[in-house]
Amino acid sequence: MIAELNLKPIAIIHSGFKEKFGIPRQPGLASSMTATIELLPEFASAEAVKGLETCSHIWLVFVFSACVDKGWSPSVRPPRLGGNQKLGVLASRSPFRPNPIGLSPVRLETVRIENNGIYLDVSGADLLDQTPILDIKPYLPYSDIIEDASFELATRAESLDLDVRFTPAAEAALHTHAARLAVPLQTQIEEILRCDPRPAYHKNKQDERVYGIRLHDLNIRWMINSEYIQVNEIILDS
């Protein structure tokens, strides 16, 4: 029996998500979000990624680095259940686990070898910027897709069927920053906000407060009601 196991990160991810609030709770829900995985120098070998470019998707095994010092509890209150019902931590995807390890499938866009560095460009990742990556594995459709798999407490992806509107000031800023960052910023914002980042106890209520999420180097100020989501401001993060 192994009493203790020390794992060394092999890479870090460079992502537009600068804080936990606003990150979709599952991978693939914001498919327009791109990120870059940078292999650390000790593992940045062209031989190590040979053949990986033939994969359409890969698995990322990572550390919930923002939760390492937060400890864990045998029961949690998943947002999907409204934050009121308790569930066993091992029946959830809570980051507050006995070992804070996560697993995400992402689309592999390109494998780049530049200036002795190895970079994997991916899309659909739900990882905080600078998250340590413990391992990378190919996604195998013939074995990783289980057609009759089920989980009664989570039968489908949750997404709000609401229009996302931008104030005139926000729309002007949107075009400016989308061009500067060279990303589909409007699509990214819409996908993220339709995932409803609000805490579970704020949902299903008349909510007139203004929320903020940090995305790339921006602060997105937004609010939500029963009819639409409104982006009030898009400003450079101070």
Side-chain angles (χ1 to χ4, degrees):
M1 177 179 177
I2 300 176
E4 186 173 333
L5 185 63
N6 294 318
L7 299 177
K8 181 184 295 187
I10 67 167
I12 59 170
I13 194 166
H14 303 285
S15 141
F17 294 120
K18 305 304 180 182
E19 61 183 6
K20 290 191 298 179
F21 183 66
I23 299 179
R25 294 186 175 93
Q26 303 300 336
L29 298 182
S31 59
S32 62
M33 287 296 299
T34 56
T36 296
I37 298 163
E38 178 184 2
L39 269 65
L40 297 178
E42 182 180 352
F43 305 100
S45 163
E47 292 184 12
V49 295
K50 183 179 180 180
L52 195 64
E53 73 281 355
T54 66
C55 298
S56 67
H57 293 73
I58 55 177
W59 288 104
L60 302 180
V61 183
F62 62 93
V63 177
F64 288 108
S65 51
C67 303
V68 169
D69 299 327
K70 302 295 192 298
W72 72 284
S73 171
S75 63
V76 296
R77 299 177 185 271
R80 176 178 283 270
L81 301 182
N84 297 316
Q85 183 176 339
K86 286 189 176 183
L87 196 67
V89 66
L90 300 183
S92 80
R93 294 199 175 186
S94 168
F96 303 102
R97 317 184 69 78
N99 291 307
I101 295 173
L103 180 67
S104 285
V106 298
R107 175 176 286 278
L108 177 61
E109 304 291 351
T110 56
V111 178
R112 293 185 286 115
I113 302 175
E114 298 177 358
N115 300 322
N116 297 319
I118 307 291
Y119 305 91
L120 311 180
D121 297 319
V122 301
S123 59
D126 56 338
L127 277 66
L128 185 68
D129 187 43
Q130 302 298 303
T131 290
I133 307 295
L134 296 177
D135 202 5
I136 298 166
K137 301 177 185 293
Y139 182 95
L140 303 179
Y142 72 85
S143 65
D144 293 344
I145 295 176
I146 303 175
E147 298 291 350
D148 61 346
S150 64
F151 183 32
E152 293 181 3
L153 299 179
T155 57
R156 59 181 177 82
E158 292 186 328
S159 180
L160 297 175
D161 186 20
L162 295 176
D163 288 337
V164 179
R165 303 177 182 179
F166 294 80
T167 65
E171 187 168 7
L174 173 71
H175 296 306
T176 298
H177 293 300
R180 176 179 63 85
L181 295 168
V183 298
L185 187 59
Q186 180 172 346
T187 301
Q188 292 177 351
I189 292 172
E190 290 177 352
E191 287 184 333
I192 292 168
L193 296 187
R194 285 196 178 108
C195 288
D196 198 351
R198 294 177 299 168
Y201 55 85
H202 285 180
K203 299 180 182 181
N204 300 320
K205 295 180 179 179
Q206 290 295 326
D207 193 356
E208 297 181 356
R209 73 184 67 202
V210 175
Y211 296 90
I213 60 171
R214 294 177 61 210
L215 184 65
H216 305 298
D217 57 358
L218 302 171
N219 191 334
I220 315 295
R221 306 289 292 175
W222 56 281
M223 59 185 297
I224 186 171
N225 58 38
S226 60
E227 298 179 355
Y228 57 87
I229 302 166
Q230 179 170 286
V231 178
N232 294 338
E233 289 184 293
I234 302 176
I235 57 179
L236 282 171
D237 196 18
S238 57

